[in-house]
Amino acid sequence: MQHIHLGTLEVARIGLGAMGMSTAYTGAGSDDAESIRTVQRALDLGVTLIDTAEIYGPFVNEELIGRAIRGRRDEVVLATKFGLVSHAGAGPWNLDSSPANVRVALEGSLRRLGTDHVDLYYQHRVDPHTPIEETVGVLAELVAEGKIRHLGLSEAGPDTIRRAHAVHPITALQSEYSLWTRDPEPTVLALLRELGIGLVAYSPLGRGFLTGAIRSTADFADDDSRKSNPRFTGENFERNLRAVDEVKAIAAEVGATPAQVALAWVLAQGEDVVPIPGTKRVSRLEENVAADAVQLTSEQIDQLTAVTPAAGEHHNEQQMRMIER
């Protein structure tokens, strides 16, 4: 697989998001053995960037990844995140990027992952109660201590990105980015390129919608996060199927799957953009990784860029409030 750079960090062109192995989607946590095989197969295929977070589970996804990479740590660019668990008593889904919380969070992640350092450590969401300078200040100390190699932000806005980068170089911003989630364009993406920061695109397949495999939500479990996602509900769902059909038509021209074409479009946006499609199955992983070899013409890229925009926000109301615009 081709390699590119996120800032100064070299990674394979396509990464692996691990969240759905343990939480958020139907079937999560039901087959850890297959999830571990998926991570290990990813490494066999040349994937390097493996993405997890302490909130996934919470905690159990990091433990799973720790088991999956045991004995192969040197092959992995290991990324995890802090800030959505307050370790001072408030617990999960409480924003806390205070210096004390960052240190506690990192020690827990290192223990669960079975490693002495994290290659890319993200603030999961911006904490409005802690100045970003204080958060990045303690992260810089942890870099000096050798416990972190590179710093990242997730769903941060332009002002926060600039202020953070002024304290210590930021390697990557993780944001949702796909054919139908274009929020980083044009302001944030232009800023990242000005500062030399890479973009890690999560949900590059629209939580599975852009694969074309989802034609109904009837089979989703009650705790599937997509049950409350505006794009998967009511009239929005029916309207969004049109965009999927447009992607399918182009995929038929290319001789690839809709998922591969959707990922190839993300890859075509620049050599500083790395998608991290998530899956818990080896077969889906192999399909996603094969997108690295898909060649789109400029006309096909333009057609995909013009796909019918998504109806509905890409997160529910509570989650959207945690995203800086």
Side-chain angles (χ1 to χ4, degrees), residues 38-284:
T38 299
V39 173
Q40 294 173 344
R41 179 61 176 151
L43 299 180
D44 293 342
L45 293 172
V47 172
T48 59
L49 181 60
I50 307 294
D51 184 271
T52 182
E54 65 171 0
I55 192 63
Y56 298 159
F59 310 127
V60 295
N61 191 246
E62 287 184 323
E63 294 170 351
L64 177 70
I65 297 305
R67 297 200 302 274
I69 66 172
R70 191 170 298 144
R72 303 186 69 173
R73 177 67 180 90
D74 292 345
E75 301 174 54
V76 182
V77 176
L78 186 57
T80 192
K81 312 176 198 75
F82 70 91
L84 280 177
V85 179
S86 174
H87 295 275
W93 299 108
N94 287 280
L95 294 169
D96 190 347
S97 287
S98 63
N101 198 66
V102 171
R103 285 189 171 275
V104 173
L106 178 61
E107 291 304 321
S109 291
L110 293 175
R111 182 178 65 255
R112 289 185 291 272
L113 291 164
T115 186
D116 62 358
H117 72 279
V118 171
D119 297 298
L120 179 56
Y121 199 43
Y122 293 101
Q123 181 190 45
H124 208 155
R125 292 292 185 269
V126 177
D127 176 6
H129 306 296
T130 305
I132 193 63
E133 291 82 0
E134 292 184 14
T135 301
V136 178
V138 72
L139 291 170
E141 293 173 5
L142 292 164
V143 170
E145 294 170 22
K147 295 180 178 180
I148 304 170
R149 298 287 168 82
H150 297 267
L151 306 187
L153 302 172
S154 181
E155 296 291 17
D159 180 62
T160 297
I161 295 168
R162 282 193 183 277
R163 289 165 53 201
H165 195 68
V167 177
H168 186 282
I170 301 298
T171 292
L173 174 76
Q174 185 172 137
S175 278
E176 184 166 348
Y177 188 49
S178 69
L179 282 171
W180 69 345
T181 304
R182 312 286 276 281
D183 296 29
E185 303 171 356
T187 305
V188 168
L189 196 50
L191 174 61
L192 298 182
R193 286 171 173 159
E194 173 193 332
L195 299 177
I197 300 171
L199 176 66
V200 174
Y202 76 83
S203 293
L205 298 175
R207 295 172 180 79
F209 212 131
L210 293 172
T211 68
I214 299 172
R215 307 301 293 188
S216 166
T217 60
D219 293 332
F220 287 176
D222 289 341
D223 61 352
D224 192 310
S225 63
R226 292 169 293 188
K227 285 274 193 177
S228 65
N229 187 295
R231 294 187 178 176
F232 287 80
T233 57
E235 292 182 2
N236 287 347
F237 183 87
E238 297 303 321
R239 289 176 59 189
N240 288 331
L241 287 175
R242 293 203 294 269
V244 173
D245 290 339
E246 293 169 22
V247 175
K248 277 185 165 182
I250 297 171
E253 290 179 13
V254 176
T257 68
Q260 289 167 343
V261 165
L263 290 171
W265 180 88
V266 175
L267 295 173
Q269 303 312 301
E271 293 192 354
D272 52 358
V273 180
V274 175
I276 52 168
T279 184
K280 56 184 181 291
R281 297 186 181 92
V282 169
S283 59
R284 287 295 188 191

